[in-house]
Amino acid sequence: MTSGNVLTLKEAKEAFKHGHNYQLQKLLGVHEMTKHNEKGFVFRVWAPKAQAVWLVGDFNQWQADLSMEKDEYGIWSIFTTLPQIGEMYKFKIKQADGREIYKIDPFAVRFEPRPHDAAYIYPTEIKKWHDGLWRGRKKRSNYFERPLNIYEVHTSSWRHHADGTPYNFTDLKDELIPYLKKMGYTHVEFMPLMEHPLPASWGYQLIGYYALSEAYGTPEEFKDFVEACHLANIGVLVDWVPGHFCVNDDALAYYDGTPTFEYNDIDQANNRGWGALNFGLDKPEVQSFLISSALYWIEEFHIDGIRVDAVSNMLYLDYDNPNWTPNEQGTNLNLAGIAFLQELNRVVKFNHPDVLMIAEESSSSTKITGLIETGALGFDYKWNMGWMNDVLNFYQMDPLYRGEHLNMLTFSFMYRLAENYILPLSHDEVVHGKKSLMHKMWGDRYKQFAQLRNLYTYLIGHPGKKLLFMGSEWGQFLEWKYYEGLEWDDLKDPLNKKMQHFTATLNELYKTERALWECDDQPETLEVIDADNQAQTVLSFIRQGKRKKDFVIVILNLSPIEYQDFQIGVPYAGEYEEILNSELSEYGGTWKQGNPNVITQSAPFKDYQDVITTTVPALGALILKPKTIKYRRKRK
């Protein structure tokens, strides 16, 4: 069933039973309807092993006097004229063992404020969108050949009001969007926006897979925010968690008293590391529930992409499960999880080929990105967790030892084409005692800023799309705290302000230089000039675009020593200009002006017969590009 199909009630239930109803929110949950010339609401909930289900709410003083009827699909339903729009409700369920418990509506679109979790009867408004130009342009473009530079945001801790209350999406529309434009980002990615009871989970322990968290505003406000982003040429990505869900007794957990949304095998169902329950991805009804949720966010809110969290947890039977049982092939692969993820990507891409599907996944034994027909999972991009770990470990190292570990920066060059990668410097790296990116850098405060500029230049120069967590753009020193706003007072410090300016300049340079994004997934995009300079600890490489003239040279000095008369090989004879120098005073460095243009000299250097000579700042980064050159490649 595709998202555009209109089914009869019987057909919708059959599709749900077989795992192919991908508009399940139109069947289950609460819906206005007219029956026997009376206007009212129909409520439906899936609880196949329940002994009885009652609808309770404001409209009947929460008494169990509205009994629901069960059909052969395990769906309980009732039509009633009692409720009014805006009233709250739940389901009271007599579970398989006779226990009676109040449960949420899994298809609610609006919940009451925490810590309570009753749902509102809340028909969402049909919005008249004005983002057609953005959506049309997106359909016509190849996103692999476009810049993708993501600013990752935790919604309720980006900024707080003076009274300590976090911004909602109306506030964010007024302040975050202009900030994204100022900083030069192409996309914003939100950590999960769906309803969750515990703020300390950052949104990764969900209960409401169809509900915007009440703390963030109304669905209408989020739609207006997305539209405003699109009008400002900014894409919107959202984290989504189909692997596991919150264990709260009044939510999805053991909904009818038996494994309902979770695996039947208790060891496979229990997610010990996160204190959660894993979705039973082998159940057709659960497949319908989850894929419908993904399409709901794409179609209802016009979001441009989904980042699927914790994909490894869905791929491997032994992931955090010491009592795992091999599959029928005798391996640790979760065949149901693989089939689900392939079907998810197949359905999303069939209905919305221009929507980005991104996997947060850390293993290397399963192909994540690429065509499903080739055995891959069908994602567009995968977070490169190996790159992130290697790079951050390197930049924390004393420069005295960096030369012999330069391969920590260059190892990712070897496997860069194994997947379509996003290079993430994400929230996970600036919390739980890991220190902020700024605080990770070696040396005193001045050297930390210099290395952070160096790191971000490497991020922008390395093949792959980009992601940076909020606050890192100006070098916030303190770790991220989910319950506080960012340390915006940092920007009163000239070094933080200049760091923010450097990040914005670098982001604009990324968008301007086609070589930095046009051929990310092609072999010719990267040419290493020198990755063996252990004595000076300087790395140099070329990024190439589609046209010969579209290339830049990146030089990274990973040592605290300035090198004058520094020489590297270049592919063409001619004149080269410096377009970025991280050590300029306007960025927080000491240089008043950058290097002058340089003319090549004929001399051998590794694979090259022409060289340029320049000065490389201590802990500095340079980006050069050709100004006037001869397009005859001169090789040894």
Side-chain angles (χ1 to χ4, degrees):
M1 174 188 175
T2 62
S3 66
N5 286 6
V6 177
L7 302 181
T8 66
L9 183 59
K10 176 73 172 176
E11 290 171 335
K13 292 180 178 181
E14 278 291 325
F16 170 52
K17 175 183 176 181
H18 293 96
H20 302 304
N21 187 332
Y22 302 136
Q23 293 282 289
L24 192 56
Q25 73 278 6
K26 295 181 179 179
L27 171 64
L28 301 181
V30 55
H31 303 281
E32 290 185 89
M33 70 174 294
T34 300
K35 187 175 182 179
H36 305 309
N37 294 321
E38 288 188 296
K39 291 184 176 180
F41 296 88
V42 61
F43 295 78
R44 299 190 187 99
V45 63
W46 180 56
K49 301 293 179 59
Q51 295 185 35
V53 180
W54 298 269
L55 173 66
V56 298
D58 293 335
F59 40 83
N60 66 347
Q61 292 72 54
W62 300 90
Q63 299 301 308
D65 55 10
L66 292 173
S67 296
M68 303 177 73
E69 295 184 358
K70 178 183 174 184
D71 63 18
E72 67 270 30
Y73 301 96
I75 296 173
W76 299 78
S77 62
I78 187 174
F79 172 80
T80 173
T81 60
L82 291 178
Q84 301 294 317
I85 290 174
E87 291 187 306
M88 292 186 293
Y89 72 98
K90 280 191 176 186
F91 299 115
K92 184 178 181 181
I93 297 180
K94 186 175 183 180
Q95 296 183 316
D97 60 359
R99 177 180 179 231
E100 295 185 1
I101 184 171
Y102 292 94
K103 287 282 193 177
I104 68 163
D105 178 4
F107 289 86
V109 298
R110 187 85 172 141
F111 285 91
E112 63 178 325
R114 304 175 184 129
H116 307 291
D117 59 4
Y120 289 108
I121 299 173
Y122 191 92
T124 54
E125 299 177 6
I126 298 176
K127 178 177 176 61
K128 185 178 180 180
W129 290 84
H130 298 91
D131 61 349
L133 183 62
W134 164 269
R135 287 160 66 82
R137 186 166 58 242
K138 192 173 66 165
K139 283 180 177 13
R140 294 190 298 271
S141 66
N142 179 353
Y143 45 74
F144 292 114
E145 298 178 357
R146 299 293 303 158
L148 179 60
N149 191 5
I150 304 165
Y151 185 65
E152 188 190 22
V153 171
H154 177 254
T155 309
S156 59
S157 61
W158 185 70
R159 195 158 202 159
H160 283 192
H161 293 287
D163 63 0
T165 58
Y167 278 20
N168 60 24
F169 272 108
T170 296
D171 304 317
L172 293 172
K173 184 177 77 169
D174 294 337
E175 294 200 31
L176 177 56
I177 295 175
Y179 186 75
L180 293 168
K181 291 289 288 183
K182 169 188 171 183
M183 293 302 298
Y185 288 101
T186 66
H187 288 70
V188 60
E189 178 180 323
F190 291 102
M191 294 161 69
L193 301 177
M194 301 82 186
E195 192 59 77
H196 53 283
L198 182 65
S201 76
W202 315 336
Y204 292 99
Q205 300 281 13
L206 300 179
I207 61 172
Y209 276 75
Y210 294 79
L212 179 77
S213 176
E214 186 276 339
Y216 300 156
T218 67
E220 291 74 22
E221 288 171 331
F222 181 50
K223 290 178 186 178
D224 289 344
F225 173 87
V226 174
E227 180 179 72
C229 279
H230 290 172
L231 295 176
N233 292 320
I234 295 168
V236 180
L237 312 174
V238 174
D239 285 9
W240 182 63
V241 192
H244 61 274
F245 57 91
C246 180
V247 298
N248 282 19
D249 199 29
D250 53 357
L252 301 182
Y254 295 96
Y255 198 83
D256 63 10
T258 69
T260 310
F261 289 93
E262 51 275 284
Y263 286 107
N264 291 336
D265 181 336
I266 191 170
D267 288 315
Q268 196 172 2
N270 285 341
N271 191 313
R272 297 161 184 80
W274 296 317
L277 287 167
N278 293 322
F279 275 108
L281 302 177
D282 55 350
K283 298 180 179 181
E285 297 89 348
V286 171
Q287 177 173 290
S288 285
F289 173 80
L290 289 172
I291 296 179
S292 293
S293 169
L295 286 175
Y296 173 78
W297 287 90
I298 292 167
E299 295 173 354
E300 187 73 13
F301 297 101
H302 285 202
I303 64 170
D304 303 288
I306 288 176
R307 193 212 70 155
V308 179
D309 182 65
V311 169
S312 293
N313 178 55
M314 293 181 274
L315 290 183
Y316 303 106
L317 296 169
D318 57 347
Y319 190 94
D320 193 38
N321 181 8
N323 302 316
W324 68 283
T325 302
N327 61 32
E328 56 264 36
Q329 300 172 357
T331 74
N332 68 336
L333 291 177
N334 183 346
L335 302 180
I338 291 172
F340 163 75
L341 290 167
Q342 289 179 327
E343 181 67 5
L344 166 69
N345 286 314
R346 184 183 293 111
V347 171
V348 169
K349 286 300 181 181
F350 180 83
N351 290 284
H352 305 283
D354 55 332
V355 166
L356 296 177
M357 295 298 290
I358 303 165
E360 188 258 336
E361 205 278 327
S362 56
S363 72
S364 58
S365 56
T366 301
K367 188 75 165 66
I368 305 300
T369 62
L371 296 175
I372 294 170
E373 293 76 11
T374 66
L377 296 185
F379 285 96
D380 295 304
Y381 291 105
K382 170 184 173 175
W383 275 19
N384 193 337
M385 314 293 278
W387 174 89
M388 176 189 68
N389 289 323
D390 287 347
V391 166
L392 293 181
N393 286 333
F394 181 88
Y395 277 88
Q396 292 178 82
M397 188 184 300
D398 188 316
L400 183 65
Y401 307 106
R402 287 179 179 175
E404 60 194 78
H405 292 96
L406 201 55
N407 64 318
M408 293 176 69
L409 289 190
T410 59
F411 177 60
S412 53
F413 290 169
M414 308 300 291
Y415 65 83
R416 61 189 170 84
L417 298 176
E419 304 273 10
N420 297 323
Y421 286 115
I422 289 175
L423 309 176
L425 296 173
S426 73
H427 65 276
D428 276 328
E429 304 314 307
V430 295
V431 74
H432 290 331
K434 293 181 180 179
K435 301 187 289 191
S436 68
L437 294 185
M438 172 67 176
H439 197 181
K440 291 178 195 291
M441 300 296 107
W442 169 86
D444 58 29
R445 183 166 167 78
Y446 177 84
K447 292 184 177 70
Q448 287 178 324
F449 273 111
Q451 288 169 103
L452 199 62
R453 296 192 297 270
N454 190 302
L455 167 61
Y456 292 173
T457 306
Y458 182 55
L459 167 69
I460 292 297
H462 192 292
K465 308 309 183 185
K466 327 295 176 185
L467 179 142
L468 187 67
F469 184 60
M470 63 182 197
S472 302
E473 70 272 20
W474 71 72
Q476 177 170 303
F477 188 79
L478 297 178
E479 276 189 346
W480 166 58
K481 301 180 183 69
Y482 71 88
Y483 49 85
E484 294 180 358
L486 295 177
E487 301 286 333
W488 292 93
D489 281 349
D490 283 353
L491 294 174
K492 295 176 183 177
D493 185 314
L495 283 176
N496 288 113
K497 189 69 176 176
K498 290 180 177 182
M499 183 71 221
Q500 183 191 48
H501 170 54
F502 174 78
T503 304
T505 302
L506 191 61
N507 289 347
E508 289 297 337
L509 179 70
Y510 169 69
K511 290 192 295 185
T512 301
E513 296 299 328
R514 303 177 70 90
L516 294 172
W517 44 261
E518 195 172 37
C519 300
D520 270 322
D521 59 346
Q522 302 300 316
E524 60 270 18
T525 192
L526 176 72
E527 183 176 314
V528 176
I529 297 175
D530 189 2
D532 303 315
N533 188 340
Q534 295 187 6
Q536 296 173 299
T537 323
V538 179
L539 171 65
S540 54
F541 57 91
I542 296 168
R543 288 296 310 279
Q544 179 68 54
K546 287 184 177 181
R547 298 183 296 179
K548 278 187 176 182
K549 70 175 184 178
D550 289 331
F551 71 90
V552 297
I553 297 171
V554 180
I555 306 173
L556 304 173
N557 184 359
L558 292 314
S559 80
I561 302 170
E562 179 180 291
Y563 297 116
Q564 299 180 4
D565 299 323
F566 185 82
Q567 197 171 83
I568 59 168
V570 292
Y572 304 105
E575 182 180 4
Y576 289 79
E577 61 179 332
E578 184 180 271
I579 58 173
L580 183 82
N581 185 325
S582 68
E583 193 55 21
L584 292 180
S585 58
E586 66 174 294
Y587 305 137
T590 58
W591 285 35
K592 299 302 181 185
Q593 61 183 19
N595 286 299
N597 291 359
V598 290
I599 306 295
T600 59
Q601 296 175 305
S602 181
F605 186 99
K606 294 201 169 187
D607 288 341
Y608 305 95
Q609 288 191 342
D610 294 291
V611 298
I612 57 172
T613 303
T614 189
T615 298
V616 183
L619 299 173
L622 305 179
I623 299 181
L624 296 84
K625 68 179 295 186
K627 187 173 183 181
T628 57
I629 56 174
K630 299 175 183 177
Y631 291 122
R632 183 173 59 85
R633 184 177 289 266
K634 297 170 72 174
R635 290 290 194 183
K636 288 175 64 175

